Every structure is written in structure tokens, then in C-alpha cells.
Amino acid sequence: MTKNVLQYIEENRSLLLDELMEFLAIPSVSTDSSYKEDVKHAARFVEEYLNEIGFSNVTQMDTSGHPLVYGEYVEAGPDKPTVLFYGHYDVQPVDPLDEWDSDPFEAVVKDERLYARGASDDKGQVFMHLAVLKAYMKAEGSLPINVKVCIEGEEEIGSENLYDILQAKKELFQADLVVISDSGMVAKNQPTILYGLKGFTGIEINVKGPDQDLHSGLYGGAVRNPLMALAHILSSMKNEDEVVLVDGFYDGVEDLTEEERALIAAVKGENYEETTGVKETVSEKGYDAKEHTMARPTFEINGLYGGYQGEGSKTIIPATATAKITCRLVPGQDPDHIQQLLKEHVDKVAPSGVEVEVHLEKLSSKAYKVAPDHPYIQLAATCYEKAFEKEAVFVRMGGSIPVVEWLDEIYQIPIILLGFGTPEDRLHSPNESFPLDSFDKGMETITYYWHELGNM
Amino acid sequence: MTKNVLQYIEENRSLLLDELMEFLAIPSVSTDSSYKEDVKHAARFVEEYLNEIGFSNVTQMDTSGHPLVYGEYVEAGPDKPTVLFYGHYDVQPVDPLDEWDSDPFEAVVKDERLYARGASDDKGQVFMHLAVLKAYMKAEGSLPINVKVCIEGEEEIGSENLYDILQAKKELFQADLVVISDSGMVAKNQPTILYGLKGFTGIEINVKGPDQDLHSGLYGGAVRNPLMALAHILSSMKNEDEVVLVDGFYDGVEDLTEEERALIAAVKGENYEETTGVKETVSEKGYDAKEHTMARPTFEINGLYGGYQGEGSKTIIPATATAKITCRLVPGQDPDHIQQLLKEHVDKVAPSGVEVEVHLEKLSSKAYKVAPDHPYIQLAATCYEKAFEKEAVFVRMGGSIPVVEWLDEIYQIPIILLGFGTPEDRLHSPNESFPLDSFDKGMETITYYWHELGNM
């Protein structure tokens, strides 16, 4: 059965690639309201595609922001599993535009990669699924399983309306498993099963000193410098062994088992020094870089500013200083509780002479982890390995995908993160791209997976 | 003899004020090359003024930047002291322009203050001297002492060419004392003798981490965060008792004597809480805010930045982090040596996983201090007190004026800092102003001082 589907894909590869390029050409930048019509255009593209391949109940669900497109194929019947496929058709802004080697909205193939905004995140990966659905319908006239497709347009702006829709449409979206292709492999052509994601929380620290910037000669020695106060606060929160010093931060975090250490050790992931340009990796004492990024919580200052930033010097004591901090959390850590612990720590160590305020980041999420030996996971690994002709690795990732936490909370069904991106894709950056290898073998993987799920 | 001079000033006050307003109307912003012609215009104003009142040898000394205007009156003869008067005719930029209540280059009088860019720093104070010279020449036809006037146009850009001129013109400029009016009183109408200035040095710390900003989810736990590295470095340099922790920083600093503590205690200076808006002052352990600002070295972070500064959060590990630091130094501290100590400290504590570079601030200067009981100082105090009808206070200031260090080094004569500004003048800020009280009593003080110097 998969033979005909794969043959259709092979014979129509250039047509499918053209269709993807048409999808990529729509500048559906959700963060910028001046692209509102383009975002709508991208939603229409998905809607029409689903209609054309014969999906039913195809609708655009309006939100206060951008619409979510839904469509379903439920003719495989109640005996067959139902997959809820989630993806997003919106993309990140493109600036700085002058760092792109080609037009971000005119996809080009170069060195076996497809270059365009959204090529990897997430239009390219969403389209692979649409293409496989089309191939099944064209080659076989049916799908071996039931598939509910749910493609939103607000992922890059925090999926603002998705939680409410997932709650409201629980019956309509109900499925046996969720499949998401919005992530990556640890290396090109290395099948990667993502069985855990980190949670997320954050705070912003605002330190207020004098009413206005002061002359450092006239007032140095009389007032507390907000930047130095902030440096003291921050350095009290994590030590040079990369251990977070906030009381209770690690409470409830499960120890890394020997089994999991072995799984992580088996991952031949990216060479951090090569991809990031650092001379040496640095991670939490007792854990190597892979273990820390995958399975241990992190604490990062994302931004810090205060005072003079121009050339040369300006001899002031700044009026304010600000630090933006986010943490990636692991199972056992509650994001709201961690946020409170961070706030309490800052309040406790805040020095005299300045006012220190802690703002709690609104978007926070719990970590997600599914047992790597779950049958749906194992089946995905088998299909992946067959298409890529290489043994799969099982990884947890440091990133956070809010939709995964929400789906877990509301639907309580396994979520299969079947990503085909590569570390070189430059997501959110100029010259985003996606390897054609991933495009071809990804469609093959999905074809096998639907088939195998139908045989379960 | 002073009676006629003071009478001339009184009778011609509105003429003198008009002349000052004409001077203030010239936008001689030295930092911005688009004002180059205006800066020349201000130099011409000073040149013409000196010529008109009968000074000789009046010249514009060209530099690679803006000219210095020189003129002299040496007819008092070799028996009389010679004063070298230094000032500057250039001003700071005016932005943000929309925060000014009136045109910065169209002086207005409001609530007994003259509002304009340069009203206090330094055109207003320079002009008081020009006016007194004019008054002596008009009322008496002569001056009781020899006066050499030296007004530069590059003070606000670091007096780039002044050091070389002071070296080259040592014979021409030779005098018995220097008088500078480019500073302020500790409070309005409080005669203030400034007998010490701090020295100055600085460094910039650049921390380089990954090649580019990294996704904190994918790389958090694998690389050192440059901002956290910088927080650790900075917090190791000064503790929360405001004690600098850099080895050798305090070496050679003379202890504050009981006499000097008494002089400082006698200063009823500004209310720091009121003028800066802080709830409480913070100063080096063992010293109060006045003692620290006047007589103890300081270490301030003037600016710090790295990573994301926009609204909300952006989950990155930034590629770089930068801190700008300057120190105010006291006698006994060599600026170059202190700079080296700072650099050595940073190099020593720099954590692994990041590259830390220290750039040495080019402009540095030694502290200056003259014995408060020097006869020229005491005489200035007497004249000051007579004009303001209030006992003078003797202060050291946290600020640094490079020209003072250079004059001290090259000429080795007493430097009398006879400033008439007030803490409310808003130097370098929108709505700069100068009290008319200072204008009137300042001219009176100078009139007395020249007379008394002539009688010594």
C-alpha cells in the first residue's frame, strides 16, 4: 500500500515542491499587523489544500487574532487510530533583511537546501504532512487511519488563542495521539525521537535607583548604583559551577537515571563548539552539556541593560537597570512555584538604597515527558529508521512548546514529536533553510507511520 | 577702586545681560561637526570682546579641532600677580530637545534664573569674567593685576588639543595662579571653595560568548552566558558595603584626617535624598555620603548591556555582554596603575567558556588637591564671603576636570576653582539654567578678588 503512495510522491516531487514554494511565498508574519492579509492568505492556502485532497468539515476557526484551520478525514472508521496533527502556518519576521542571501519569500534551492522564511519552521514541515495526505488520497483514495488536521496562525506570537480553542473543541479534536512536526533532529539525517520538552518560566527584574541618571563625579559615593545592585542580585542566583542558588529550585527534580544517561550518551548530537563558536562548553557541575541541555533545568539571563550604551564613556550613575531571565524546567518543577521562588530570592537579596521590582513572565509552561518505550513512540522510531536507514536516537530537548503542555493537560494522550529540521536550519534568523533530504525522507517516514498505525 | 567698577556693573547690568544672551545664542556645540561654523562664531565673539575691552595679543589659536582664544593684559607690571583665567565657550548638545521648556539658544529669564544651554556650563561663568574685565577697563582704565585669558572650544569633547597647547605655550601662559569658574557651589548663595578634585580612569569589559545569540532552550546548559559571566565579574569588584575589592585599589590613599572630616561635616550641602530621589544614601563602609563623594575613591558601572532589550521576553543566550566602568580617584592613586589593577582583576576572575577583553579608557587624570590654607585660596574665600555675605565652605569634589590636572602637572601653580553654579543648574541636561544671584554676586566676588590680589 505504501508503495503506490511513495511512487506518487516520487513522480510528483517537483509539483509538490512547487506547491510548497507557493505556500512559502505568502509572507504570513503573525507578529506584524501589517501582514494581517497575508496571514489570512496562508490560512486560505491550507483550507483550499485540505478541501482539494478531499478532507471534510474544513473550516477556518476565527479568533481575536489569526484563524486556525481545521479539517478531518474520519472515514477509516472507529477501529483505526485517530491522529490529531498540529502545526502552524505563521512565520517569524525576516529582519535584518539585508543579511538574507535571497528573498525570504521567494524560495530557492541551493546546495540541496530550500531557503525561505518558514522553510523549516513550520510551513515546510506542515506541508510534508499535507503532501503525504494528498499522496494517500491520490494513490489509494483513502487513508489507513483517521486524521484531524489543526494548523494555527499564532504560534510565533505565543499561540494566544490556542488554549481556549483546544478547551472548546475538545470533542471535535479528540484523538488517540497527537503528531507534531515542529522540531528537529540532533543532526542531519539522524532520526530523532523527542520524548521530552522542558517547561518554561521567567521574571524581569527592575532596579530603580535615582530619579534620573546622575553625574558619577558628583554623586558617586552617595547613592547605590542600580547596575551594581543588579550584578550582585544576579550573581547570587547562579554560581560559576552553573548551579542555581535559588532555595528550592531543584526540589522535586528527579535524578537522572543511569538508563537515561545512557540514552543521552548514545546521542551523537551536534558539536556545540563548532555550531556556537565557543572554545569550551560549560554546564552544571556533575552533568555534561548534553545532559544539562536535555534533562536539567536551566537559568539564563536573556537581556540586561542600564545606563550608557554608546561609544566611549559617559560618566553617569544610571537611574535604572533591568534584567530579563527565563528558566527551562524539567518534570517535577511547577513553573508558577519556580517563579515565586525566583521572586522571593530577589526580594531577599535586594540591597538597600534601590527599589527592586520583580515582574512575573505571563507565558509559562510545565515540562512534558512521555515514556520512550510507549508503543506509538516505538512505532514512529521504526518508520523513521526505515526511511532514513539509520538507528533513531531518543532525546529530551531544552526547548519548550506551550502547545505540547496544553495538549498534555487537556487531552492526556501521547504526543509524538516527529521533527525533521536540522541544527543548521537557522530558525528565526536570516537564511532559514530546510534540507531536501529531510523533505524526501520525512514524507517517507510519515507515509510509513500512517500505514503502520493503520495496522496496529 | 572697586566702588567704580561695581557701579559700572550695576548701571550696565542689562547691557551685560544682553551681551551674555548674545553669547548664549550661538549654538557652539563642539561634539557635533554640523555646528562647526557656530563654534567658530563663538570663538570670534570672545576674540572681539577681548579686543573691544583693550586686551592685547588677542589671537585665535587654531587646533585640529576648534580654536582656543587667547588675550592678555600685562600692564599691571611684574610686581603684580598674574592670573591665568581658563574657561570654555563650547557647549553640550541639547537633545532631547522636546524636554526643553524654551529654545536652548534663546536665553530667557524666569524665576530669577537665566535658562539656556551654556548658561552655567560654561558660557555664563566665562562671561562674568569678561564682564568684570570690561568693567575695570571702562571704570578705571586699568586692571589691578595682570590677566591672561585662555578660553577653549573643546572642553565638552575632552579638551582634545589643550594639553599640547598648554605644553607649547608654557612661556606665554606663565602666571602665578590659575582661576577657573567651571564648577559650582554646594548650594545656592553658599560660597564654596573647591580645593580638591578627583582623578579619573575607566575600563570597558567586553565578554564574548557564542558567535551569535543562541536559543536558550537548545543551548542553555551547554554554553556560558556572557551576561551572567559579567555579573560575576562585576560583583567581585565591589561589595555591598561599597568597598572596592580590587587588590591594591586603596594603596597609597591617605587616611581622611579628623581636620578634613570636620571641614566636610561643616558643609551644609545638598540633601541627596531630595535631589536624587533615593530613599537613603549608600556609601563606603566607615564613611558617610559626603565623605565618600568628596574624599574617597569611587567605582561606578556607567552602562551595561547585552541580549534582548525589547518588550516581553526573547529566549536567547546573548553572544556578547559589555560593561563600562569609571573610577574617581583621590590623591595617592595613579590612574594608569589603577587601570592596570582593574584589568588584572578582571583577567583573574574571568570565568571559563567566554572570552573577556578589557579596554583601557584613554582619558584618565590624576586627582588634584591644594592646601586649603594657601594664601590665594584664603583670599578668594574672603572675597567670596564679602560678596555673598556668608561664610565660605571648603570642599573637595567627586568630579574630575582634566585641565586642572594638566595645569597642575605643567605649570605647578595654585589653581583656584571659583565656581558659581548651583546644584539646580541641570548641566548637560534640558533646561540648563544659572541663577541671576550667582551672576551678580559672582561678578562682585571676582571684582574684589582682582583688587585684593593687586594689594597682596
Side-chain angles (χ1 to χ4, degrees):
Chain A
M1 185 180 179
T2 57
K3 197 177 154 236
N4 295 340
V5 179
L6 295 175
Q7 190 181 335
Y8 175 88
I9 290 173
E10 200 182 327
E11 285 171 6
N12 291 277
R13 184 177 185 264
S14 103
L15 165 75
L16 295 172
L17 211 50
D18 283 350
E19 288 175 348
L20 169 54
M21 286 180 174
E22 190 190 332
F23 191 25
L24 291 169
I26 309 168
S28 49
V29 180
S30 54
T31 58
D32 185 340
S33 58
S34 63
Y35 289 96
K36 199 171 166 59
E37 286 309 310
D38 298 300
V39 178
K40 274 190 193 164
H41 182 183
R44 228 160 36 235
F45 178 96
V46 176
E47 183 189 16
E48 284 165 11
Y49 207 92
L50 289 173
N51 272 323
E52 267 177 41
I53 63 180
F55 266 50
S56 53
N57 203 7
V58 177
T59 35
Q60 284 197 32
M61 299 181 181
D62 283 334
T63 72
S64 62
H66 306 299
L68 177 147
V69 183
Y70 177 79
E72 63 184 25
Y73 173 93
V74 290
E75 291 159 45
D79 297 346
K80 300 290 179 186
T82 300
V83 165
L84 177 65
F85 172 70
Y86 163 88
H88 64 94
Y89 63 80
D90 64 323
V91 297
Q92 279 275 318
V94 297
D95 30 278
L97 186 59
D98 57 3
E99 290 183 20
W100 283 81
D101 295 332
S102 58
D103 187 330
F105 298 113
E106 202 170 303
V108 292
V109 171
K110 202 172 71 179
D111 302 331
E112 291 301 303
R113 282 189 160 264
L114 184 63
Y115 284 84
R117 170 57 84 229
S120 176
D121 177 18
D122 183 31
K123 280 177 173 170
Q125 302 203 57
V126 160
F127 185 78
M128 288 159 58
H129 281 270
L130 297 179
V132 169
L133 296 174
K134 179 178 188 168
Y136 264 105
M137 298 302 275
K138 293 280 183 187
E140 298 287 339
S142 67
L143 287 169
I145 51 165
N146 302 300
V147 176
K148 297 178 173 181
V149 170
C150 168
I151 316 284
E152 73 156 324
E154 297 187 300
E155 201 271 348
E156 302 296 0
I157 48 173
S159 300
E160 284 170 7
N161 293 289
L162 186 63
Y163 186 86
D164 290 345
I165 295 181
L166 291 178
Q167 284 275 16
K169 303 289 178 184
K170 200 174 160 182
E171 209 169 321
L172 181 66
F173 292 179
Q174 192 61 63
D176 300 298
L177 69 157
V178 180
V179 172
I180 302 179
S181 293
D182 192 17
S183 53
M185 304 179 287
V186 296
K188 200 181 158 199
N189 292 331
Q190 170 56 63
T192 304
I193 296 292
L194 192 53
Y195 68 99
L197 286 169
K198 282 186 181 165
F200 178 87
T201 194
I203 58 169
E204 183 173 301
I205 305 175
N206 292 298
V207 181
K208 205 192 141 307
D211 281 343
Q212 54 185 316
D213 292 351
L214 298 176
H215 190 296
S216 73
L218 302 180
Y219 296 98
V223 303
R224 180 82 75 186
N225 185 314
L227 282 170
M228 186 53 103
L230 188 54
H232 278 287
I233 291 169
L234 293 170
S235 64
S236 78
M237 300 183 86
K238 190 164 85 169
N239 67 18
E240 295 196 8
D241 285 336
E242 298 288 322
V243 174
V244 177
L245 304 174
V246 175
D247 269 353
F249 185 80
Y250 294 103
D251 287 358
V253 172
E254 55 191 30
D255 285 339
L256 205 56
T257 62
E258 286 311 309
E259 288 73 20
E260 213 164 357
R261 286 199 139 152
L263 273 184
I264 294 171
V267 179
K268 296 283 171 287
E270 62 183 303
N271 179 325
Y272 288 120
E273 286 87 345
E274 205 171 283
T275 47
T276 69
V278 300
K279 290 221 175 90
E280 55 183 320
T281 61
V282 176
S283 49
E284 185 185 349
K285 197 176 181 179
Y287 302 90
D288 67 23
K290 271 194 295 180
E291 290 170 341
H292 193 176
T293 52
M294 287 189 195
R296 295 287 300 172
T298 63
F299 173 106
E300 297 294 349
I301 311 173
N302 308 124
L304 177 53
Y305 53 96
Y308 181 65
Q309 303 197 5
E311 259 189 64
S313 70
K314 186 174 179 187
T315 52
I316 54 164
I317 298 170
T320 61
T322 301
K324 291 168 183 286
I325 292 161
T326 52
C327 294
R328 303 285 177 164
L329 309 176
V330 298
Q333 289 181 304
D334 176 72
D336 296 339
H337 181 61
I338 293 290
Q339 219 173 24
Q340 278 305 323
L341 294 180
L342 297 175
K343 179 172 160 44
E344 281 164 22
H345 179 97
V346 173
D347 289 345
K348 194 177 70 191
V349 303
S352 63
V354 285
E355 287 167 57
V356 178
E357 281 180 11
V358 177
H359 295 278
L360 306 180
E361 170 75 33
K362 273 184 217 143
L363 199 70
S364 68
S365 65
K366 280 204 183 69
Y368 169 76
K369 196 180 155 193
V370 63
D373 54 3
H374 190 286
Y376 287 146
I377 290 268
Q378 288 297 324
L379 197 59
T382 311
C383 300
Y384 217 151
E385 289 171 350
K386 190 170 166 194
F388 283 77
E389 298 175 328
K390 192 165 182 190
E391 202 173 340
V393 292
F394 290 77
V395 303
R396 289 164 66 178
M397 196 181 70
S400 317
I401 310 182
V403 62
V404 172
E405 187 212 347
W406 302 338
L407 286 165
D408 185 40
E409 177 200 324
I410 303 171
Y411 291 77
Q412 295 176 320
I413 52 177
I415 301 164
I416 315 302
L417 300 163
L418 205 61
F420 300 100
T422 69
E424 296 77 27
D425 289 1
R426 298 183 61 85
L427 312 182
H428 296 201
S429 298
N431 299 317
E432 178 179 349
S433 69
F434 190 64
L436 293 180
D437 256 358
S438 279
F439 184 65
D440 295 327
K441 294 178 187 163
M443 288 191 291
E444 199 179 333
T445 304
I446 300 162
T447 302
Y448 294 143
Y449 196 30
W450 292 172
H451 178 73
E452 295 298 332
L453 280 172
N455 284 343
M456 264 184 106
Chain B
M1 186 180 180
T2 56
K3 196 174 153 238
N4 295 340
V5 179
L6 294 175
Q7 191 180 334
Y8 175 88
I9 290 173
E10 198 182 328
E11 286 171 4
N12 292 277
R13 185 179 185 262
S14 101
L15 166 74
L16 295 174
L17 211 48
D18 283 350
E19 288 175 348
L20 169 54
M21 288 179 172
E22 189 190 331
F23 191 24
L24 291 169
I26 310 167
S28 49
V29 180
S30 53
T31 58
D32 184 340
S33 59
S34 62
Y35 289 97
K36 197 169 167 61
E37 286 309 309
D38 299 298
V39 178
K40 274 190 192 164
H41 182 183
R44 229 160 35 234
F45 177 96
V46 176
E47 182 189 17
E48 284 165 12
Y49 208 94
L50 289 172
N51 272 323
E52 266 176 41
I53 63 181
F55 265 51
S56 52
N57 203 7
V58 177
T59 35
Q60 286 196 30
M61 299 181 181
D62 285 334
T63 72
S64 63
H66 306 301
L68 177 148
V69 183
Y70 178 80
E72 62 184 24
Y73 174 93
V74 290
E75 291 160 45
D79 297 347
K80 299 292 180 185
T82 299
V83 165
L84 177 65
F85 171 70
Y86 163 88
H88 64 94
Y89 64 80
D90 64 323
V91 296
Q92 280 274 320
V94 297
D95 28 280
L97 186 58
D98 58 4
E99 290 184 20
W100 284 81
D101 295 331
S102 57
D103 186 329
F105 297 113
E106 200 169 306
V108 293
V109 171
K110 202 172 72 180
D111 300 331
E112 292 300 303
R113 280 188 162 267
L114 183 63
Y115 285 83
R117 171 57 84 229
S120 177
D121 176 19
D122 182 34
K123 280 176 174 170
Q125 301 204 57
V126 160
F127 185 78
M128 288 158 60
H129 281 271
L130 297 179
V132 169
L133 296 175
K134 179 179 187 167
Y136 264 107
M137 298 303 275
K138 292 281 183 187
E140 297 289 338
S142 68
L143 286 168
I145 52 165
N146 302 300
V147 176
K148 296 177 174 181
V149 170
C150 168
I151 316 284
E152 71 155 323
E154 298 186 299
E155 201 271 348
E156 302 295 0
I157 48 173
S159 300
E160 284 171 6
N161 293 289
L162 186 63
Y163 186 86
D164 290 345
I165 295 180
L166 292 179
Q167 284 275 17
K169 302 289 178 181
K170 199 174 161 183
E171 209 169 322
L172 180 66
F173 292 179
Q174 193 60 63
D176 300 298
L177 68 159
V178 178
V179 172
I180 302 179
S181 293
D182 192 18
S183 54
M185 305 180 287
V186 295
K188 198 182 158 199
N189 292 331
Q190 169 58 63
T192 304
I193 296 292
L194 192 53
Y195 69 96
L197 287 169
K198 283 187 180 163
F200 178 88
T201 194
I203 59 169
E204 183 174 300
I205 305 176
N206 293 297
V207 181
K208 207 192 140 305
D211 280 343
Q212 54 184 316
D213 293 351
L214 298 177
H215 189 297
S216 73
L218 302 181
Y219 297 98
V223 302
R224 180 82 75 186
N225 185 314
L227 282 169
M228 187 53 103
L230 188 54
H232 278 289
I233 292 169
L234 293 169
S235 63
S236 78
M237 300 183 86
K238 192 165 82 168
N239 66 18
E240 295 196 8
D241 286 335
E242 299 288 321
V243 175
V244 177
L245 303 174
V246 175
D247 269 352
F249 186 80
Y250 294 104
D251 287 358
V253 172
E254 56 191 29
D255 286 337
L256 205 56
T257 61
E258 285 312 310
E259 289 73 21
E260 216 163 357
R261 286 199 137 151
L263 271 184
I264 293 172
V267 180
K268 298 280 171 291
E270 64 182 304
N271 179 324
Y272 288 120
E273 286 88 346
E274 205 172 285
T275 48
T276 69
V278 299
K279 290 220 176 93
E280 56 183 319
T281 60
V282 175
S283 49
E284 185 185 347
K285 196 174 183 179
Y287 303 90
D288 67 24
K290 271 194 296 180
E291 290 170 342
H292 193 175
T293 52
M294 287 188 194
R296 295 287 300 173
T298 64
F299 173 105
E300 298 294 350
I301 310 173
N302 307 124
L304 177 52
Y305 54 96
Y308 181 64
Q309 304 198 5
E311 259 188 64
S313 70
K314 186 173 180 187
T315 52
I316 54 166
I317 299 169
T320 61
T322 302
K324 292 168 182 285
I325 292 161
T326 52
C327 294
R328 303 285 177 164
L329 309 176
V330 298
Q333 290 181 302
D334 176 71
D336 296 339
H337 180 61
I338 293 291
Q339 218 171 26
Q340 278 305 323
L341 294 179
L342 297 175
K343 177 171 162 42
E344 281 164 22
H345 179 97
V346 173
D347 290 343
K348 194 177 68 193
V349 302
S352 62
V354 285
E355 286 167 58
V356 178
E357 280 180 11
V358 177
H359 296 278
L360 307 179
E361 170 76 33
K362 272 184 217 142
L363 200 69
S364 67
S365 65
K366 280 205 182 70
Y368 169 77
K369 194 178 157 196
V370 64
D373 55 2
H374 190 285
Y376 286 146
I377 290 269
Q378 288 297 324
L379 197 59
T382 312
C383 299
Y384 218 149
E385 289 171 350
K386 190 170 165 192
F388 283 77
E389 296 175 330
K390 190 161 182 192
E391 202 172 339
V393 292
F394 291 77
V395 303
R396 290 164 67 177
M397 195 181 74
S400 317
I401 310 181
V403 62
V404 172
E405 187 213 347
W406 302 338
L407 286 164
D408 185 41
E409 176 200 326
I410 303 170
Y411 292 77
Q412 296 176 320
I413 52 176
I415 301 164
I416 315 302
L417 300 164
L418 206 61
F420 300 101
T422 69
E424 297 77 27
D425 289 2
R426 298 183 60 85
L427 313 183
H428 296 201
S429 297
N431 299 318
E432 177 178 350
S433 69
F434 189 63
L436 293 180
D437 257 358
S438 279
F439 184 65
D440 295 328
K441 293 178 189 164
M443 288 191 290
E444 200 180 332
T445 304
I446 299 162
T447 302
Y448 294 143
Y449 196 30
W450 291 172
H451 177 74
E452 293 299 331
L453 280 172
N455 282 342
M456 264 183 104

